Amino acid sequence: MASAAAQPAPLSAEQAKVVLAEVIQAFSAPENAVRMDEARDNACNDMGKMLQFVLPVATQIQQEVIKAYGFSCDGEGVLKFARLVKSYEAQDPEIASLSGKLKALFLPPMTLPPHGPASGGSVAAS
């Protein structure tokens, strides 16, 4: 039973919206924006370096917010929060939208290689 006491109280969909909004707001705090900019600069749009530099900073920023809601202040707490949010995404478009905004804050935009559709030609042009 001791392990049950360590579990965060499950958040309702409404509470999850509030926490998601707080996490997103935390990313726009000046000190966190600087931390994320520095991490992105260090990563140079390299996915491996994004995992090395950006993801840990993003995780720390999330931890600072979600610990107030009973989640552990470690990577496991962030994963539990992410799973909870994911469980509400299909039921609640607002949660899905907030979750997408959060992911966009620390995942790089996917760019197509130069030989993709952006080059204007089609593959079957010959």
Side-chain angles (χ1 to χ4, degrees):
M1 286 293 180
S3 63
Q7 297 295 319
L11 300 177
S12 68
E14 289 304 311
Q15 290 169 316
K17 286 179 201 177
V18 169
V19 179
L20 270 169
E22 284 184 30
V23 169
I24 291 167
Q25 187 175 2
F27 276 89
S28 64
E31 66 277 9
N32 290 336
V34 168
R35 290 168 63 198
M36 287 297 290
D37 286 344
E38 288 174 355
R40 282 190 198 98
D41 289 347
N42 288 333
C44 302
N45 261 353
D46 177 285
M47 186 53 81
K49 290 183 180 179
M50 286 292 217
L51 294 172
Q52 183 181 359
F53 296 112
V54 178
L55 194 59
V57 173
T59 300
Q60 290 170 357
I61 293 169
Q62 289 182 71
Q63 287 169 351
E64 292 164 9
V65 175
I66 67 173
K67 67 182 180 185
Y69 294 91
F71 292 91
S72 59
C73 193
D74 57 12
E76 185 65 27
V78 172
L79 289 174
K80 286 180 181 177
F81 176 66
R83 281 188 219 114
L84 178 74
V85 168
K86 187 79 174 157
S87 74
Y88 286 130
E89 283 180 0
Q91 311 164 32
D92 192 315
E94 188 178 351
I95 289 179
S97 173
L98 288 168
S99 179
K101 287 178 186 174
L102 175 59
K103 289 173 189 163
L105 290 171
F106 59 88
L107 292 176
M110 297 306 286
T111 55
L112 294 172
H115 61 277
S119 65
S122 80
V123 175
S126 53

